[in-house]
Amino acid sequence: MPRPVSGKHINNPDRPTSEHDIPVPVASNDTPVEPNEDISFFGSCKFEPRKAFKKMWERMHTWRFWKIILLGQFLALTICGTAVTSQVLQSKHGVDAPTAQGFLNYLALAVVYMPFFVFRPKRLHNVLRWRSLGYFLVALADVEANYLLVKAYQYTTLTSVQLLDCITIPAVMILSRIFLKVHYRIVHIAGVIVCMSGVGALIAADAQNNHSPGQNPILGDMYALIGATLYAVTNVAEEYSVKFYTRLEFLGLIGFFGSFIGGVQLIILERQQLVLAEWNSEIIGLFIAFGICMFLLYSLAPVYMRFSSATTFNLSILTADFYVFIFGLVLFRFKFSPLYVVSFCLVVVGITVYHYKDPVIKTVYPKLVKKDKNAKTSASGKSLPPPTLPSVTSFDSAAAADKPTTTRSPQLKFSTRAKDDDYGTAV
């Protein structure tokens, strides 16, 4: 690689130039040095409140911000639906079959999304050949995470399960940092801390409604901890899959392998419970309602992660317990506590703070780059160079702004990888 020209030769007109010389800008005493734009106002030495809150206010007036908020709350409502139906099945009808409930969801995913591959044998063969083992392991982790979290409620208190379930958020951030090359700023850590303080208020409120010590607290806590960790693995794998490939591929393969794993586990562990259950229209309706909520959650979560991240997803669904409390006031005679409202407000504020600035993602997603490129090309009517996305980049944008453009531009990686894509724009 050619070495840059030293500063003393730049302003020398008599010095012969070479095609290998790369000019290096020299800072002038009259020109103020701009701060690195990769440093947020929360993380810089000089904090400017007015400028910071003005930028946050501008972000709150964008459609992307409200898509994240509204879709995240809808997903939280679907989780609320699964919790309420499971609680009614267990407390009123004595039916405790988490694997059977999840099996209906995986079967519906396979029936709806697998036909997109069955009628394309070549595409199905390529997916099964190169990625079947990965999807099998993700489906196994997802099935067992659902099972362990539900079983944890039988052995320990609701407060312990909710507290240990929050392990999912730091676990997702660690896995995203390792595998997805996500660099979090101080503002993101601050947003997570605000959300976790909301969880603390929620746990304090739940302690007033739950005084049962549990049958085996240690076993229940272990179930909750393992289940939360498995959820983190599946969420990060889902984000990777929907951004590198398609959500149809992820949902179809997860439904296919999940129904197989769930069916085998159902026969081994819950066959006797289903045989002894007194089936009626109400129990069947609760099973169907649980399946619909889970199907909507699994179908829309990849869409959410498409323009957001697994970390934001887990922060958004923290409000699900607030919605469970609303239903619990009527169905389970919960005691009202203002801490529930405080918890909900803290979670929403934490999500807003988290979205003050996008994290730096140094993983190149050819799907997102190709989609953005096609949109700009159709809008202008002519071919455009590969774009550099603000939150999906292969190098530090702030550092690149200080470097000259050479023929070996990192943007060439975008166009090369986009041409190798066989599936086109992800759905």
Side-chain angles (χ1 to χ4, degrees):
M1 184 175 180
R3 294 184 298 174
V5 185
S6 59
K8 63 181 181 180
H9 296 299
I10 291 179
N11 298 324
N12 186 2
D14 299 331
R15 182 183 180 275
T17 59
S18 172
E19 62 180 6
H20 299 292
D21 291 341
I22 300 177
V24 176
V26 179
S28 175
N29 296 331
D30 300 332
T31 305
V33 179
E34 295 293 335
N36 192 332
E37 58 185 47
D38 187 45
I39 302 177
S40 63
F41 296 104
F42 288 98
S44 59
C45 297
K46 184 179 179 181
F47 176 65
E48 301 180 14
R50 294 184 61 183
K51 193 172 182 180
F53 288 111
K54 180 181 179 181
K55 185 173 182 179
M56 186 180 296
W57 183 258
E58 292 175 353
R59 284 219 165 200
M60 292 176 62
H61 284 74
T62 60
W63 171 236
R64 179 177 179 271
F65 173 83
W66 287 107
K67 280 197 302 184
I68 292 174
I69 295 295
L70 296 178
L71 183 56
Q73 295 314 297
F74 181 79
L75 295 176
L77 282 172
T78 60
I79 295 178
C80 169
T82 61
V84 171
T85 51
S86 297
Q87 185 68 23
V88 173
L89 281 172
Q90 184 178 1
S91 61
K92 186 177 180 179
H93 301 281
V95 178
D96 180 26
T99 306
Q101 295 172 235
F103 173 76
L104 295 177
N105 170 55
Y106 294 116
L107 185 62
L109 291 175
V111 170
V112 172
Y113 295 107
M114 276 303 292
F116 290 97
F117 297 92
V118 173
F119 297 107
R120 297 180 181 181
K122 183 178 179 180
R123 180 175 180 178
L124 179 62
H125 176 265
N126 291 334
V127 173
L128 293 178
R129 179 182 179 184
W130 299 107
R131 297 188 286 276
S132 58
L133 179 60
Y135 283 119
F136 177 83
L137 295 177
V138 173
L140 177 62
D142 193 66
V143 172
E144 299 309 322
N146 291 327
Y147 178 79
L148 291 175
L149 258 298
V150 175
K151 296 296 289 185
Y153 287 102
Q154 300 179 12
Y155 296 99
T156 187
T157 61
L158 176 65
T159 303
S160 298
V161 174
Q162 290 176 333
L163 180 62
L164 293 173
D165 191 32
C166 295
I167 298 297
T168 303
I169 296 175
V172 165
M173 297 181 72
I174 294 173
L175 293 175
S176 298
R177 178 66 181 89
I178 296 174
F179 295 102
L180 303 182
K181 310 301 181 185
V182 180
H183 294 255
Y184 295 101
R185 299 182 174 94
I186 295 180
V187 64
H188 303 122
I189 306 299
V192 171
I193 292 175
V194 174
C195 288
M196 297 297 285
S197 63
V199 176
L202 176 68
I203 292 174
D206 284 334
Q208 303 175 4
N209 290 314
N210 185 76
H211 303 283
S212 176
Q215 301 176 2
N216 192 340
I218 297 179
L219 181 61
D221 292 345
M222 290 300 298
Y223 280 169
L225 185 61
I226 297 174
T229 305
L230 291 177
Y231 270 134
V233 174
T234 57
N235 288 339
V236 174
E238 181 177 1
E239 180 182 356
Y240 179 90
S241 178
V242 300
K243 289 183 178 179
F244 261 100
Y245 308 112
T246 67
R247 73 181 183 95
L248 297 181
E249 177 181 315
F250 176 82
L251 293 174
L253 272 296
I254 290 297
F256 176 76
F257 290 116
S259 59
F260 173 76
I261 297 171
V264 174
Q265 185 168 312
L266 169 64
I267 295 175
I268 297 175
L269 299 178
E270 299 177 359
R271 177 181 58 184
Q272 193 69 18
Q273 298 181 13
L274 295 178
V275 172
L276 298 178
E278 298 179 358
W279 292 93
N280 53 44
S281 58
E282 185 176 356
I283 294 180
I284 296 175
L286 290 172
F287 265 88
I288 295 176
F290 180 92
I292 292 174
C293 291
M294 286 290 285
F295 181 81
L296 290 175
L297 173 64
Y298 275 68
S299 298
L300 295 178
V303 178
Y304 185 90
M305 293 185 186
R306 185 85 181 155
F307 55 82
S308 185
S309 64
T311 304
T312 311
F313 170 75
N314 283 278
L315 292 176
S316 298
I317 62 177
L318 289 177
T319 56
D321 291 313
F322 173 78
Y323 301 126
V324 172
F325 162 72
I326 299 298
F327 285 94
L329 288 175
V330 179
L331 299 177
F332 310 118
R333 306 299 179 184
F334 283 175
K335 298 179 181 178
F336 175 78
S337 174
L339 291 176
Y340 282 104
V341 180
V342 174
S343 171
F344 179 83
C345 295
L346 286 175
V347 171
V348 174
V349 171
I351 297 172
T352 305
V353 172
Y354 183 91
H355 285 92
Y356 169 78
K357 202 174 185 66
D358 293 329
V360 177
I361 305 177
K362 296 190 176 183
T363 301
V364 180
Y365 297 117
K367 288 285 179 186
L368 301 184
V369 174
K370 186 173 183 179
K371 183 177 180 180
D372 186 76
K373 177 183 177 181
N374 293 338
K376 289 188 176 182
T377 303
S378 60
S380 61
K382 58 182 180 179
S383 178
L384 295 176
T388 302
L389 300 182
S391 60
V392 182
T393 56
S394 61
F395 60 97
D396 193 342
S397 59
D402 298 333
K403 296 181 181 180
T405 304
T406 65
T407 55
R408 295 185 178 182
S409 173
Q411 293 183 354
L412 295 178
K413 295 181 180 180
F414 288 164
S415 58
T416 303
R417 297 190 66 174
K419 290 180 181 178
D420 295 335
D421 183 40
D422 297 328
Y423 300 143
T425 303
V427 180

